[in-house]
Amino acid sequence: MYRKKVTVVVAFALFSLFFGAGNLILPPQLGFKAGSAWWLVALGFCISAVLIPILGILAHAKLQGGMFDFAKKVSPTFSVIYCFIVYAISISLPSPRTASVTHEMGVQPFFDSSSLLTSVIYFVLVFLFVVNRSKILDIIGKLLTPAIILILLAIVGTALFNFDFNFGENQFSSPFSSGILEGYQTFDAIGAVVVGGVIIISINLRKDEGSYEAKKSLIAKSGLLAGLGLFLIYAGLIITGALMHQEFDANINRTGLLSGISLKTLGSTANLFLSILVSLACFTTAVGIVTGTADFVKGQFKNSKNAYLITAIIGCVLGVLMGQFDVHYIIAVAVPALMFIYPITIILILLNVVPDAYASKQVFRAVVIATIIFSIPDFLGSIGFGETISGISKWIPLSEYQMGWVLPALVAFVVMNITKKSIAK
């Protein structure tokens, strides 16, 4: 069995690997727009940004393999294609976004430097962490995460104790589903299948490596602790945004709102605290993404160290190039990709969590196929073809909430399991 201290360190590392750019700038604006319905968007947001990712970590605790293992029951070929798509998205969008956010909120307010210079320095440091990956858990878990949590608690705590509980009007037509869809932008479900593998390998590199059951218990407990921390922080940031409805212009953007909240709560020291927070939160996420991608490619090339190194270099160079774009542009570009890959990822996580008796290869294939087919209208709608496919979409339950895949996937799961039992009898 692992000591409790190890469980806490791994939990802190998980929290920090999850908590990046999107996790920081998305919740406050959700609360700001939701007003009195802040609890509904918080519930929706935490389903897609806390519950599903932590289920992903629990699935990793069960599988104790890499990301490839999540989809191999569909077919090995599908799994390889899925992994390549996810890793390509990860190093092309959320990883560079961390550098972009760091520049806009952590560097630009203090230094008159270019985003290119920030990105270069940023990803050189990311690369150094990635090539020294055996130290990732200890450095992130012991040093960086506590600092992130303390600064966040200072912002949320000050808002809760110094502002009246007076909320504005809700601007969302469907707060709950809006919260779920905004949770997609955190990339945390994808992060779960990516960084979960990083945690597994990092634990295996420790000198005190334990048995399968010991590692399963360690990962599960650490995942639940990290999930509790994420839930409290997200809920705190959302209610903080809701309390600020009279303090800012209604059209304020995400980064501007976070900066303003920091100034209102922490006063003249706000910019310094915020720059530290942004830099730490974004950096740890970028390290997790690049490390996970390099691990996967290394595994595809017979554990080649050169493949790991080359992938890490490519990931960091791509981060520098994409990091030149505006944060809000990167978020907008990510929507179509997320509308397609996120439902598949959620389904794979859930299928890997349920008992094996209900998740045969046939069940995996049927549910994933149904999810892919019924995600297509949501994907087409996100790239401007909503009117063209409206005749089809209106017949799909929940399609008006961009979640038309949910019921078909559930039906496929139930039908396949009933059919399997009937055949067995």
Side-chain angles (χ1 to χ4, degrees):
M1 291 295 291
Y2 292 94
R3 292 175 297 170
K4 290 182 179 179
K5 180 181 178 182
V6 177
T7 302
V8 174
V9 169
V10 175
F12 273 164
L14 273 172
F15 177 94
S16 193
L17 288 169
F18 276 129
F19 200 84
N23 314 65
L24 186 61
I25 65 176
L26 297 173
Q29 194 184 56
L30 264 181
F32 185 73
K33 289 185 174 181
S36 58
W38 68 268
W39 63 277
L40 276 173
V41 296
L43 183 60
F45 187 82
C46 287
I47 286 176
S48 55
V50 179
L51 178 61
I52 297 298
I54 296 309
L55 288 176
I57 296 300
L58 295 180
H60 265 298
K62 175 184 173 184
L63 295 172
Q64 291 194 27
M67 184 175 162
F68 175 82
D69 298 298
F70 268 78
K72 68 180 181 182
K73 276 191 175 182
V74 180
S75 80
T77 302
F78 172 83
S79 186
V80 170
I81 294 172
Y82 169 76
C83 289
F84 270 112
I85 290 174
V86 167
Y87 284 122
I89 290 173
S90 297
I91 62 172
S92 301
L93 295 171
S95 180
R97 186 177 69 182
T98 63
S100 184
V101 173
T102 298
H103 177 74
E104 288 187 23
M105 298 186 65
V107 176
Q108 207 169 37
F110 303 99
F111 305 101
D112 184 21
S113 61
S114 67
S115 59
L116 178 61
L117 178 61
T118 300
S119 296
V120 169
I121 295 174
Y122 182 89
F123 277 103
V124 165
L125 293 174
V126 168
F127 179 77
L128 292 176
F129 265 66
V130 172
V131 296
N132 290 286
R133 60 90 43 71
S134 63
K135 299 178 181 178
I136 285 178
L137 282 185
D138 287 337
I139 294 174
I140 293 177
K142 291 180 179 178
L143 301 177
L144 300 185
T145 308
I148 294 173
I149 293 174
L150 286 174
I151 297 171
L152 281 172
L153 289 176
I155 292 174
V156 173
T158 304
L160 292 178
F161 285 103
N162 288 278
F163 288 84
D164 294 331
F165 274 64
N166 176 28
F167 304 108
E169 293 183 3
N170 167 41
Q171 299 178 33
F172 294 112
S173 58
S174 177
F176 180 68
S177 63
S178 295
I180 291 177
L181 295 176
E182 192 77 351
Y184 282 14
Q185 282 286 357
T186 66
F187 288 88
D188 279 353
I190 291 174
V193 296
V194 174
V195 306
V198 175
I199 294 294
I200 297 290
I201 295 172
S202 296
I203 289 173
N204 289 338
L205 289 172
R206 298 178 67 95
K207 295 179 181 178
D208 57 344
E209 180 183 346
S211 64
Y212 168 85
E213 289 298 331
K215 285 188 283 188
K216 182 178 179 181
S217 176
L218 169 66
I219 298 163
K221 290 178 181 177
S222 300
L224 291 173
L225 278 175
L228 177 61
L230 288 171
F231 172 76
L232 293 174
I233 294 298
Y234 289 153
L237 288 174
I238 288 173
I239 194 172
T240 297
L243 292 173
M244 300 286 177
H245 70 98
Q246 292 181 328
E247 304 293 329
F248 304 102
D249 182 83
N251 297 317
I252 190 170
N253 62 32
R254 293 177 179 89
T255 52
L257 178 61
L258 182 60
S259 297
I261 288 174
S262 180
L263 185 63
K264 294 284 184 182
T265 54
L266 301 182
S268 59
T269 59
N271 287 339
L272 176 60
F273 277 119
L274 191 61
S275 66
I276 295 171
L277 172 60
V278 168
S279 301
L280 293 180
C282 293
F283 181 77
T284 53
T285 300
V287 169
I289 289 172
V290 176
T291 303
T293 306
D295 277 335
F296 171 72
V297 176
K298 177 183 177 183
Q300 296 300 305
F301 287 90
K302 300 178 180 180
N303 291 321
S304 167
K305 292 183 178 178
N306 288 333
Y308 182 90
L309 187 63
I310 291 170
T311 305
I313 293 173
I314 292 173
C316 291
V317 170
L318 189 58
V320 171
L321 297 176
M322 289 294 295
Q324 304 311 300
F325 291 101
D326 175 78
V327 174
H328 307 290
Y329 174 79
I330 296 176
I331 289 176
V333 168
V335 171
L338 289 173
M339 294 306 292
F340 183 73
I341 203 66
Y342 225 82
I344 299 171
T345 302
I346 291 173
I347 285 300
L348 289 174
I349 287 174
L350 295 176
L351 288 173
N352 279 293
V353 169
V354 301
D356 291 337
Y358 301 100
S360 64
K361 289 182 179 180
Q362 292 78 11
V363 172
F364 261 80
R365 289 168 187 165
V367 176
V368 168
I369 289 171
T371 302
I372 291 173
I373 291 173
F374 286 91
S375 292
I376 292 174
D378 293 335
F379 169 76
L380 293 175
S382 70
I383 58 174
F385 291 96
E387 291 295 326
T388 306
I389 60 169
S390 60
I392 299 174
S393 297
K394 69 179 182 180
W395 295 102
I396 303 174
L398 303 179
S399 63
E400 66 268 32
Y401 306 114
Q402 289 79 54
M403 289 187 286
W405 57 274
V406 174
L407 287 181
L410 179 60
V411 169
F413 177 80
V414 173
V415 169
M416 287 303 297
N417 273 291
I418 291 175
T419 304
K420 179 185 173 185
K421 287 185 178 181
S422 299
I423 293 173
K425 288 180 180 180

